Amino acid sequence: VSQELLPKKWRFSRQFFLKTAEAFQNLLPSAKGKVHVHIVNEAEIRRLNRMHREKDKVTDVLSFPSGDLPIFGELGDVLICYTQAERQAEGDIALELTDLLVHGTLHVLGYDHEIPADADVMFPLQDEIVKNVLA
Protein backbone atom coordinates (compact mmCIF):
# COMPACT_ATOMS: atom_id res chain seq x y z
CA VAL A 1 0.00 0.00 0.00
CA SER A 2 1.31 3.40 -0.99
CA GLN A 3 -0.79 5.90 0.96
CA GLU A 4 1.55 8.72 2.01
CA LEU A 5 -0.72 11.23 0.25
CA LEU A 6 -3.65 10.34 2.51
CA PRO A 7 -4.12 12.35 5.70
CA LYS A 8 -3.07 10.08 8.58
CA LYS A 9 -6.59 9.82 9.98
CA TRP A 10 -7.86 8.34 6.68
CA ARG A 11 -5.07 5.85 6.02
CA PHE A 12 -6.09 2.25 5.57
CA SER A 13 -5.09 0.04 8.49
CA ARG A 14 -3.96 -3.56 8.38
CA GLN A 15 -7.22 -4.50 10.11
CA PHE A 16 -9.19 -2.68 7.38
CA PHE A 17 -7.39 -4.64 4.65
CA LEU A 18 -7.96 -7.93 6.46
CA LYS A 19 -11.66 -7.13 6.76
CA THR A 20 -11.78 -6.16 3.08
CA ALA A 21 -10.06 -9.39 2.06
CA GLU A 22 -12.51 -11.36 4.19
CA ALA A 23 -15.48 -9.59 2.57
CA PHE A 24 -14.14 -10.47 -0.89
CA GLN A 25 -13.50 -14.09 0.13
CA ASN A 26 -17.01 -14.47 1.51
CA LEU A 27 -18.62 -13.33 -1.74
CA LEU A 28 -15.96 -14.36 -4.26
CA PRO A 29 -14.16 -17.42 -2.85
CA SER A 30 -12.06 -17.87 -6.00
CA ALA A 31 -10.60 -14.34 -5.72
CA LYS A 32 -7.12 -14.92 -4.33
CA GLY A 33 -3.93 -12.92 -4.62
CA LYS A 34 -2.41 -9.53 -3.96
CA VAL A 35 -3.73 -6.22 -5.15
CA HIS A 36 -1.48 -3.23 -4.65
CA VAL A 37 -3.15 0.03 -3.71
CA HIS A 38 -1.62 3.40 -4.52
CA ILE A 39 -2.91 6.79 -3.43
CA VAL A 40 -1.86 9.22 -6.14
CA ASN A 41 -2.17 12.92 -6.85
CA GLU A 42 -4.31 14.51 -9.55
CA ALA A 43 -1.43 14.95 -11.98
CA GLU A 44 -0.52 11.25 -11.83
CA ILE A 45 -4.06 9.91 -12.17
CA ARG A 46 -4.72 12.30 -15.04
CA ARG A 47 -1.51 11.26 -16.79
CA LEU A 48 -2.37 7.56 -16.46
CA ASN A 49 -5.98 8.15 -17.47
CA ARG A 50 -4.76 9.95 -20.60
CA MET A 51 -2.17 7.27 -21.42
CA HIS A 52 -4.30 4.19 -20.82
CA ARG A 53 -7.87 5.33 -21.41
CA GLU A 54 -7.32 8.33 -23.72
CA LYS A 55 -9.29 10.52 -21.28
CA ASP A 56 -7.46 13.70 -20.41
CA LYS A 57 -9.09 14.33 -17.05
CA VAL A 58 -8.78 13.56 -13.37
CA THR A 59 -10.67 10.47 -12.26
CA ASP A 60 -11.24 8.92 -8.85
CA VAL A 61 -9.89 5.40 -9.40
CA LEU A 62 -7.98 3.47 -12.04
CA SER A 63 -7.40 -0.26 -12.09
CA PHE A 64 -4.73 -2.19 -13.88
CA PRO A 65 -4.92 -5.97 -13.96
CA SER A 66 -1.53 -7.65 -13.70
CA GLY A 67 0.56 -7.02 -16.77
CA ASP A 68 -1.22 -3.81 -17.81
CA LEU A 69 1.17 -1.59 -15.85
CA PRO A 70 4.75 -2.36 -14.87
CA ILE A 71 4.12 -1.68 -11.19
CA PHE A 72 3.82 -4.24 -8.40
CA GLY A 73 0.58 -6.14 -8.00
CA GLU A 74 0.23 -9.90 -8.33
CA LEU A 75 -3.41 -9.55 -9.46
CA GLY A 76 -3.03 -5.90 -10.32
CA ASP A 77 -2.96 -2.36 -9.08
CA VAL A 78 -5.63 0.04 -7.89
CA LEU A 79 -4.82 3.75 -7.95
CA ILE A 80 -7.03 6.15 -6.00
CA CYS A 81 -6.89 9.93 -6.27
CA TYR A 82 -7.58 11.19 -2.75
CA THR A 83 -8.44 14.76 -3.73
CA GLN A 84 -11.02 13.54 -6.26
CA ALA A 85 -12.43 11.10 -3.71
CA GLU A 86 -12.67 13.91 -1.18
CA ARG A 87 -14.60 16.09 -3.66
CA GLN A 88 -17.20 13.43 -4.32
CA ALA A 89 -17.42 11.99 -0.79
CA GLU A 90 -20.61 13.81 0.22
CA GLY A 91 -19.30 14.10 3.77
CA ASP A 92 -18.21 10.47 4.27
CA ILE A 93 -14.65 10.06 3.05
CA ALA A 94 -14.25 6.65 4.72
CA LEU A 95 -17.20 5.32 2.71
CA GLU A 96 -15.91 6.90 -0.50
CA LEU A 97 -12.38 5.50 -0.11
CA THR A 98 -13.78 2.04 0.70
CA ASP A 99 -16.12 2.19 -2.28
CA LEU A 100 -13.29 3.19 -4.62
CA LEU A 101 -10.99 0.48 -3.29
CA VAL A 102 -13.66 -2.20 -3.75
CA HIS A 103 -14.66 -0.83 -7.17
CA GLY A 104 -11.06 -0.84 -8.37
CA THR A 105 -10.41 -4.31 -6.99
CA LEU A 106 -13.48 -5.68 -8.77
CA HIS A 107 -12.09 -4.27 -12.02
CA VAL A 108 -8.76 -6.00 -11.34
CA LEU A 109 -10.72 -9.23 -10.85
CA GLY A 110 -12.35 -8.79 -14.27
CA TYR A 111 -15.67 -7.14 -13.43
CA ASP A 112 -16.89 -4.26 -15.57
CA HIS A 113 -19.87 -1.93 -15.88
CA GLU A 114 -19.66 -0.65 -19.44
CA ILE A 115 -22.84 -2.42 -20.49
CA PRO A 116 -25.99 -2.54 -18.33
CA ALA A 117 -25.92 -6.33 -17.88
CA ASP A 118 -22.38 -6.16 -16.48
CA ALA A 119 -23.27 -3.18 -14.28
CA ASP A 120 -26.22 -5.18 -12.91
CA VAL A 121 -23.70 -7.74 -11.66
CA MET A 122 -20.84 -5.48 -10.56
CA PHE A 123 -22.60 -2.71 -8.63
CA PRO A 124 -24.70 -4.90 -6.31
CA LEU A 125 -21.59 -6.98 -5.59
CA GLN A 126 -19.64 -3.79 -4.87
CA ASP A 127 -22.37 -2.53 -2.54
CA GLU A 128 -22.48 -5.83 -0.64
CA ILE A 129 -18.70 -5.95 -0.18
CA VAL A 130 -18.58 -2.31 0.99
CA LYS A 131 -21.45 -2.98 3.41
CA ASN A 132 -19.58 -5.97 4.86
CA VAL A 133 -16.32 -4.05 5.18
CA LEU A 134 -17.92 -1.12 6.98
CA ALA A 135 -20.20 -3.24 9.20
Side-chain angles (χ1 to χ4, degrees):
V1 178
S2 170
Q3 56 183 338
E4 293 79 25
L5 294 178
L6 275 179
K8 286 186 179 183
K9 68 180 181 178
W10 298 121
R11 290 187 183 170
F12 300 114
S13 68
R14 177 171 168 69
Q15 181 179 352
F16 171 84
F17 282 120
L18 290 173
K19 195 168 184 180
T20 302
E22 181 181 336
F24 270 94
Q25 284 298 295
N26 288 340
L27 291 168
L28 300 169
S30 64
K32 296 186 187 307
K34 288 183 185 176
V35 173
H36 286 258
V37 180
H38 313 269
I39 306 301
V40 298
N41 62 33
E42 289 183 9
E44 181 66 0
I45 206 135
R46 183 177 186 169
R47 182 184 73 79
L48 291 167
N49 202 21
R50 183 176 51 246
M51 282 177 53
H52 294 276
R53 297 180 66 227
E54 298 179 359
K55 295 184 179 189
D56 189 15
K57 65 180 186 173
V58 172
T59 190
D60 51 6
V61 63
L62 289 173
S63 300
F64 297 96
S66 186
D68 285 1
L69 251 192
I71 300 184
F72 314 103
E74 178 185 312
L75 291 175
D77 297 271
V78 174
L79 290 77
I80 298 170
C81 179
Y82 173 72
T83 53
Q84 182 63 24
E86 190 175 40
R87 277 193 289 274
Q88 61 197 39
E90 297 181 8
D92 192 344
I93 190 66
L95 171 60
E96 186 66 20
L97 289 170
T98 303
D99 200 48
L100 293 174
L101 174 64
V102 171
H103 184 91
T105 302
L106 285 170
H107 277 307
V108 165
L109 292 171
Y111 289 85
D112 204 354
H113 51 84
E114 291 299 314
I115 62 171
D118 291 343
D120 289 345
V121 172
M122 182 176 172
F123 289 125
L125 185 57
Q126 177 179 326
D127 291 344
E128 186 67 21
I129 293 170
V130 169
K131 182 179 90 176
N132 291 338
V133 170
L134 296 178

